[in-house]
Amino acid sequence: MAIQAFLVASFVFSWLASTSNGVTTFSSLQQTLIVTASPHPGQVMKAGEDKITVTWSLNTSLQTGIDSTYKTVKIKLCYSPISQKDRGWRKTVDILAKDKTCQHKMGAQPYTNASNNSLTLIVQRDVPTATYFIRVYACNSADEEVAYGQTTDTKKGSNLFEVRAISGRHTSLDIASVCFSTFSVVSLFGFFFIEKRKAKALQTK
Ligand SMILES: *[C@@H]1O[C@H](CO)[C@@H](O)[C@H](O)[C@H]1NC(C)=O
Ligand SMILES: *[C@@H]1O[C@H](CO)[C@@H](O)[C@H](O)[C@H]1NC(C)=O
């Protein structure tokens, strides 16, 4: 009897653990947020430099109280399908804990049902060159995603923008080439100056 109770209890416990932990699927989320972002379609944003303004609000044509469990919103930069092709490490998986689409978190803030929520965020330096859109997740008090909104359509094909990474190597190459050209200009003037003086010296002789 005690053993049976224990077995039932442990079965129930493991079932609860498996349903409440890490198995939220993207397809189970409702699209209730309307999200817009400042980049124009095709605009190129520089990582570590350019800022993106994200505005989000609840779609007011939905039933009231649909957002009663929303506590926070998380703003994420997500790879478009073009930039996921042949790259397993950016793959879309329906189980959100395994999904690699929206790896780059831009920011978070408490959820409000105001119509003018807006946040300006810098594109982090570690964001690689790719084509992106922005998705905002609404999370409940257990920090589980319950709803979302995004700047693109369901096929993730429209209204995409680019991020261009600035790698350290390029920056130092740029600095090196600037130094080199400054050096060449200075030495060119130096040569002219010396040659002129030589010519003058010859003339006066
Ligand atoms: C808001 O929700 C309604 C009802 O589901 C839907 O028809 C409409 O397209 C949504 N609006 C936006 C801008 O997503
Ligand atoms: C949104 O509107 C409210 C009320 O008009 C105002 O108090 C608040 O500062 C606004 N927030 C933003 C982010 O513009």
Side-chain angles (χ1 to χ4, degrees):
M1 194 60 186
I3 287 172
Q4 277 164 337
F6 174 75
L7 284 178
V8 168
S10 52
F11 177 77
V12 167
F13 182 76
S14 61
W15 177 76
L16 277 177
S18 71
T19 50
S20 64
N21 230 322
V23 289
T24 309
T25 56
F26 180 70
S27 52
S28 72
L29 304 184
Q30 290 176 297
Q31 187 171 358
T32 62
L33 302 178
I34 296 168
V35 181
T36 58
S38 55
H40 313 298
Q43 190 174 345
V44 178
M45 312 300 287
K46 283 188 228 123
E49 223 173 279
D50 289 341
K51 286 176 181 158
I52 293 179
T53 299
V54 181
T55 55
W56 58 270
S57 63
L58 185 70
N59 181 343
T60 49
S61 56
L62 302 170
Q63 79 207 59
T64 52
I66 200 165
D67 58 343
S68 58
T69 60
Y70 302 1
K71 284 286 177 288
T72 55
V73 292
K74 287 180 185 162
I75 294 139
K76 299 202 168 180
L77 203 51
C78 312
Y79 292 111
S80 74
I82 319 156
S83 295
Q84 291 176 303
K85 203 166 171 282
D86 302 325
R87 291 177 179 88
W89 65 95
R90 295 179 181 173
K91 207 166 75 179
T92 295
V93 180
D94 197 34
I95 295 171
L96 284 175
K98 294 181 181 168
D99 183 33
K100 299 283 188 284
T101 317
C102 305
Q103 292 175 30
H104 304 283
K105 190 174 167 182
M106 295 193 76
Q109 67 180 168
Y111 173 81
T112 79
N113 62 5
S115 59
N116 61 349
N117 304 289
S118 136
L119 211 56
T120 299
L121 302 155
I122 194 157
V123 181
Q124 297 293 320
R125 287 187 72 90
D126 62 349
V127 173
T129 298
T131 305
Y132 294 90
F133 63 92
I134 285 169
R135 183 178 288 165
V136 176
Y137 284 110
C139 297
N140 62 17
S141 53
D143 208 30
E144 294 159 343
E145 295 88 348
V146 286
Y148 77 100
Q150 61 190 21
T151 56
T152 187
D153 60 305
T154 47
K155 286 190 173 151
K156 303 180 275 190
S158 67
N159 202 16
L160 306 170
F161 60 91
E162 316 278 327
V163 169
R164 190 167 300 151
I166 37 147
S167 71
R169 198 170 61 94
H170 282 153
T171 318
S172 54
L173 270 183
D174 287 348
I175 291 168
S177 62
V178 167
C179 290
F180 185 73
S181 45
T182 310
F183 174 76
S184 5
V185 168
V186 167
S187 44
L188 200 64
F189 273 108
F191 271 117
F192 265 118
F193 187 68
I194 291 165
E195 287 303 307
K196 258 200 164 165
R197 278 187 65 152
K198 267 192 193 160
K200 259 195 178 163
L202 281 176
Q203 272 175 7
T204 51
K205 260 183 192 169

